[in-house]
């Protein structure tokens, strides 16, 4: 009933460069990527971003700056003499973006609307910069279900709060729906890079996306709570039985928009707590900082391996 299902037709040019599924863009004389503080008229986007291969996204500006320095060391990238890492999007005051050779490290904020706006502009950036076969990876945090805190989860499926594998959104007053599909092969390739020597587990499974951290994730500790602890436990156990192993706030739109653009994507998150045991994130800040590096380590292994075999 009035539902628009987008066709999954070919979305890339034969050379692998990103094709926009929007005829309006090439008719505009310039495209302002407002929330990135970049534009196709004001910047030479091919010159600035033409060599990008990996787009790594995570919630906070600080974590993505740390990732930029870390990946620089890992891939042995040298900054030109006399220069330092610069937040390319600093004048937007919205997102932070760092470029380290073929790697872009971008913050996406919290939740679907924030990462959605960023994805529109980054996908257009890839198009303007004529980047071929980019890979998008979210390196994030999440709540685990039945996993030890500090476990790394590679998502192989993304579902919404109604457990449907779609990203749904009203457009022009009608509900639209796009499949939230992740690249299962890429998820397995990432899993294969987990090491027996890692002092934590790395697993794959289904991830649930919500639009809220508190009531939307069945917490008892928000400003409001109109259900019982038993209701919460029953619900989380139901999720667990359905194979959902973690909850975060971006996976459906991330999977859906990348899939719609024909871009390979992966989501690697570390669990900050086991939701079967509590609601509050109460590990010391140093411990959380240590855990946050784990998805970055896995993604760095992937990027290094790719660059070595290129
Ligand atoms: C994980 O952590 C954030 C909420 O604390 C949110 O962005 C997410 O997906
Ligand atoms: N991020 C979430 O969205 N939920 C959690 O429980 C922890 C981090």
């Amino acid at each position: 009933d009035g539902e628009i299902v987008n066709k999954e037709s070919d979305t890339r040019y034969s050379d692998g460069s990103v094709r926009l599924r929007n005829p309006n863009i090439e008719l505009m004389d310039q495209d302002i990527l407002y929330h990135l503080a970049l534009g196709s008229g004001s910047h030479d986007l091919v010159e600035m971003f033409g060599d990008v291969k990996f787009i790594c996204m995570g919630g906070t500006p600080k974590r993505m700056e740390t990732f930029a320095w870390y990946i620089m060391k890992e891939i042995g990238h040298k900054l030109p003499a006399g220069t330092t890492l610069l937040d390319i999007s600093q004048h937007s005051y919205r997102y932070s973006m760092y470029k380290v050779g073929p790697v872009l490290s971008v913050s996406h904020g919290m939740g679907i609307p924030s990462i959605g706006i960023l994805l529109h502009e980054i996908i257009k950036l890839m198009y303007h910069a004529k980047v071929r076969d980019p890979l998008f990876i979210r390196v994030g945090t999440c709540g685990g279900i039945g996993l030890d805190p500090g476990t790394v989860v590679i998502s192989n499926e993304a579902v919404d709060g109604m457990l449907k594998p779609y990203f749904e959104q009203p457009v022009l007053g009608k509900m639209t729906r796009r499949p939230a599909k992740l690249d299962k092969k890429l998820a397995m390739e990432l899993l294969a890079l987990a090491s027996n020597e890692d002092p934590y587990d790395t697993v794959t499974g289904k991830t649930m996306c919500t639009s809220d951290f508190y009531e939307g994730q069945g917490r008892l500790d928000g400003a409001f709570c109109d259900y019982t602890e038993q209701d919460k436990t029953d619900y989380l156990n139901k999720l667990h039985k359905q194979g959902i192993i973690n909850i975060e706030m971006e996976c459906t739109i991330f999977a859906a928009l990348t899939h719609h653009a024909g871009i390979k994507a992966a989501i690697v998150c570390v669990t900050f707590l086991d939701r079967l045991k509590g609601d509050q994130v109460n590990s010391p800040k140093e411990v959380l900082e240590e855990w946050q590096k784990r998805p970055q380590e896995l993604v760095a292994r992937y990027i290094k391996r790719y660059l070595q075999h290129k």
Side-chain angles (χ1 to χ4, degrees):
D1 50 335
E3 182 180 275
I4 299 167
V5 179
N6 286 293
K7 282 198 290 294
E8 287 177 55
S9 41
D10 189 23
T11 53
R12 278 178 302 161
Y13 294 118
S14 54
D15 70 353
S17 56
V18 176
R19 170 163 34 184
L20 285 186
R21 304 180 80 167
N22 177 4
N24 300 317
I25 302 296
E26 37 189 355
L27 303 175
M28 304 181 344
D29 48 58
Q30 65 163 334
D31 183 18
I32 296 170
L33 306 174
Y34 169 56
H35 305 85
L36 296 177
L38 291 169
S40 64
S42 50
H43 297 80
D44 185 342
L45 298 176
V46 174
E47 163 73 23
M48 287 175 77
F49 298 101
D51 63 340
V52 166
K53 174 72 189 176
F54 301 96
I55 295 81
C56 301
M57 300 182 187
T60 75
K62 187 73 210 164
R63 182 158 18 102
M64 298 325 287
E65 186 188 354
T66 305
F67 179 71
W69 285 108
Y70 170 65
I71 200 72
M72 189 176 336
K73 183 173 74 81
E74 289 297 306
I75 66 177
H77 181 82
K78 298 268 183 298
L79 292 173
T83 68
T84 187
L85 254 192
L86 205 73
D87 175 359
I88 298 167
S89 297
Q90 61 174 325
H91 296 296
S92 75
Y93 299 100
R94 293 288 183 188
Y95 306 106
S96 286
M97 175 157 74
Y98 299 90
K99 183 175 180 300
V100 177
V103 182
L104 266 194
S105 180
V106 196
S107 70
H108 62 58
M110 280 190 284
I112 288 171
S114 183
I115 199 173
I117 294 164
L118 180 73
L119 284 165
H120 275 277
E121 295 185 9
I122 294 275
I123 291 168
K124 291 197 293 173
L125 178 62
M126 295 299 101
Y127 161 76
H128 290 304
K130 304 194 189 308
V131 171
R132 293 182 190 185
D133 295 317
L135 208 77
F136 283 31
I137 309 179
R138 172 168 132 70
V139 278
T141 64
C142 63
I145 303 180
L147 300 171
D148 281 339
T151 299
V152 173
V153 176
I154 304 162
S155 307
N156 56 22
E157 281 178 63
V159 297
D160 67 12
M162 303 301 286
L163 306 189
K164 290 188 293 195
Y166 303 112
F167 169 63
E168 290 186 323
Q169 148 169 277
V171 174
L172 304 185
K174 288 198 185 104
M175 196 53 98
T176 65
R177 160 188 281 198
R178 288 187 181 140
K181 278 199 193 146
L182 289 164
D183 192 305
K184 292 203 179 184
K185 183 162 163 272
L186 177 56
M188 292 313 288
E189 284 169 4
L190 283 161
L191 182 66
L193 295 171
S195 157
N196 287 333
E197 271 136 59
D198 294 335
Y200 49 86
D201 290 332
T202 299
V203 298
T204 59
K206 217 189 274 186
T207 302
M208 185 173 90
C209 187
T210 69
S211 289
D212 173 46
F213 182 82
Y214 289 101
E215 294 170 275
Q217 296 186 8
R219 281 184 155 81
L220 301 171
D221 62 343
F224 315 104
C225 184
D226 300 331
Y227 41 83
T228 65
E229 179 164 13
Q230 190 60 52
D231 295 337
K232 168 200 154 174
T233 307
D234 291 347
Y235 175 65
L236 291 178
N237 284 333
K238 181 182 122 184
L239 297 184
H240 196 43
K241 279 205 197 80
Q242 306 239 354
I244 292 166
I245 62 170
N246 66 334
I247 310 176
E248 45 83 282
M249 299 178 61
E250 293 86 15
C251 65
T252 51
I253 191 167
F254 182 80
L257 296 198
T258 51
H259 179 66
H260 194 59
I263 293 170
K264 267 211 242 182
I267 304 176
V268 186
C269 292
V270 70
T271 64
F272 269 2
L273 75 171
D274 181 358
R275 290 300 316 288
L276 299 181
K277 300 204 170 122
D279 293 336
Q280 297 242 303
V281 178
N282 52 18
S283 299
K285 155 171 127 311
E286 299 72 35
V287 172
L288 296 178
E289 263 164 35
E290 191 53 41
W291 289 349
Q292 286 185 40
K293 292 190 190 136
R294 294 175 177 180
Q296 303 187 0
E297 279 165 19
L298 191 71
V299 170
R301 285 176 203 161
Y302 187 88
I303 293 175
K304 276 198 287 188
R305 203 197 47 168
Y306 173 88
L307 294 175
Q308 277 156 12
H309 292 97
K310 200 169 63 150

